[in-house]
């Protein structure tokens, strides 16, 4: 794992955007894995800026979102499809037919999940997967005790996750119980994982993910087994890490050819 600690969320988001932009520059047909929620908003703003001001070109890229709620009405403002359209897809030049979000309105969820896995494979696999982390350590919507080998499937949200997302729905009772999410096995096949976490709420899940044992009770901890996982934090989220000074020293000492 590479743990990168930045002063605040803006610096951390800009750094993550540089990593995504570098990958697209090296491989214009890169496949991006995308997350929703509060955490990646700064990253998406910066990608939009790089597109508008510096010519970052998504024309040959594709994307696959991690997850979607089951059963929301078409165009529901809290759906992850609507979120992505608002914050990213409508502001860059990614071709709409290559910007994928699981369909939470399908009649046949297992077939939708299977087809989603096949589409990722047909696109050549995910090059860079953006991740946030839940307060109990979920990635995607793989809640604690999810199989560490799981594939895209339906999951039931914990009460904690529904509470965390209540603001998007105007009340926890309105948050759907079910979601479709990429599995942990699916996420682990991405070539690079970028996990972003900001603020005090993420202190405990980050400490357990980075310095605790690998356990299905903290799904993000499986990233310790990933060959290229970058954990990009602000100072607040890094506050519970015992080796903070070491991570900073490593980052400061990176040779030029490894800079982002
Ligand atoms: C969203 C997702 C979730 C969120 C996580 C953190 O697509 O997969 O894992 O990344 O719940 O959410 P925020 O960023 O709102 O704290």
């Amino acid at each position: 794992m590479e743990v990168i600690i930045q002063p605040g969320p803006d610096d951390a988001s800009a750094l993550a955007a540089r990593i995504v932009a570098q990958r697209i520059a090296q491989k214009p047909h890169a496949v991006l894995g995308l997350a929703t929620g509060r955490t990646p908003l700064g990253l998406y703003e910066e990608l939009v800026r790089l597109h508008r001001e510096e010519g970052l070109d998504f024309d040959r890229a594709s994307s696959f979102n991690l997850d979607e709620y089951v059963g929301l009405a078409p165009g529901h403002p809290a759906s992850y499809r609507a979120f992505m359209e608002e914050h990213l897809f409508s502001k860059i030049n990614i071709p709409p037919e290559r910007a994928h979000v699981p369909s939470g309105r399908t009649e046949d969820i297992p077939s939708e999940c299977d087809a989603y896995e096949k589409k990722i494979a047909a696109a050549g696999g995910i090059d860079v997967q953006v991740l946030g982390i839940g307060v109990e350590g979920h990635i995607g919507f793989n809640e604690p005790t999810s199989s560490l080998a799981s594939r895209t499937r339906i999951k039931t949200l914990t009460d904690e996750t529904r509470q965390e997302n209540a603001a998007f729905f105007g009340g926890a009772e309105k948050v759907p119980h079910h979601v479709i999410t990429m599995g942990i096995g699916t996420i682990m096949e991405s070539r690079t994982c970028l996990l972003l976490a900001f603020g005090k709420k993420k202190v405990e899940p980050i400490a357990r993910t980075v310095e605790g044992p690998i356990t299905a009770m903290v799904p993000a901890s499986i990233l310790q087994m990933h060959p290229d996982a970058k954990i990009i934090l602000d100072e607040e989220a890094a506050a519970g890490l015992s080796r903070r000074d070491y991570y900073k020293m490593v980052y400061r000492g990176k040779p030029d050819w490894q800079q982002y």
Side-chain angles (χ1 to χ4, degrees):
M1 278 180 154
E2 180 179 11
V3 180
I4 304 174
I5 304 169
Q6 295 286 290
D10 292 349
D11 317 271
S13 300
L15 188 140
R18 286 201 296 281
I19 295 173
V20 173
Q22 269 182 9
R23 197 59 61 97
I24 294 173
Q26 290 158 350
K27 184 176 176 185
H29 56 287
V31 180
L32 307 177
L34 300 176
T36 55
R38 301 159 189 91
T39 307
L41 286 172
L43 162 64
Y44 296 156
E45 258 178 47
E46 181 61 9
L47 288 177
V48 170
R49 191 193 67 75
L50 290 172
H51 169 67
R52 289 182 176 161
E53 296 175 15
E54 297 184 24
L56 179 62
D57 188 2
F58 294 86
D59 186 44
R60 292 173 61 195
S62 343
S63 69
F64 289 88
N65 263 78
L66 283 165
D67 36 26
E68 180 59 287
Y69 294 104
V70 168
L72 295 182
H76 191 294
S79 75
Y80 285 165
R81 166 61 74 181
F83 176 101
M84 291 308 299
E85 293 296 340
E86 178 184 348
H87 296 289
L88 190 67
F89 297 155
S90 65
K91 299 179 173 170
I92 59 172
N93 65 334
I94 192 164
E97 67 283 6
R98 287 212 300 273
H100 305 275
V101 180
S103 168
R105 292 196 49 78
T106 175
E107 298 280 294
D108 182 351
I109 289 177
S111 298
E112 167 68 18
C113 296
D114 191 42
Y116 205 66
E117 289 275 342
K118 290 196 168 100
K119 277 187 239 171
I120 295 172
I126 292 172
D127 290 297
V128 187
Q129 175 66 61
V130 175
L131 298 166
I133 186 169
V135 287
E136 296 181 298
H138 72 208
I139 45 176
F141 273 140
N142 295 285
E143 301 286 34
T145 72
S146 288
S147 160
L148 298 178
S150 50
R151 311 302 306 189
T152 302
R153 68 212 183 292
I154 190 167
K155 283 295 288 181
T156 304
L157 296 178
T158 61
D159 286 343
E160 286 75 8
T161 299
R162 293 180 64 239
Q163 199 64 51
E164 282 299 313
N165 290 337
F168 297 106
F169 287 85
E173 69 292 348
K174 296 189 190 139
V175 180
H177 285 270
H178 293 112
V179 291
I180 291 176
T181 180
M182 271 187 212
I184 297 176
T186 321
I187 293 168
M188 287 294 283
E189 284 172 10
S190 311
R191 294 181 185 94
T192 297
C193 286
L194 296 185
L195 186 146
L196 277 63
F198 310 137
K200 292 193 178 64
K201 269 196 176 173
K202 304 295 169 77
V203 169
E204 193 193 331
I206 285 298
R208 294 178 76 194
T209 293
V210 175
E211 295 180 346
I214 297 173
T215 166
M217 286 298 285
V218 184
S221 64
I222 192 64
L223 293 172
Q224 293 177 26
M225 297 289 290
H226 194 284
D228 187 18
K230 302 182 200 306
I231 313 296
I232 304 177
L233 309 172
D234 68 351
E235 285 282 359
E236 279 191 345
L241 294 173
S242 67
R243 296 183 171 257
R244 262 193 332 279
D245 293 343
Y246 173 68
Y247 307 136
K248 288 184 183 175
M249 184 181 83
V250 171
Y251 187 70
R252 275 198 307 272
K254 269 163 97 73
D256 284 352
W257 60 271
Q258 274 191 344
Q259 300 284 335
Y260 306 122

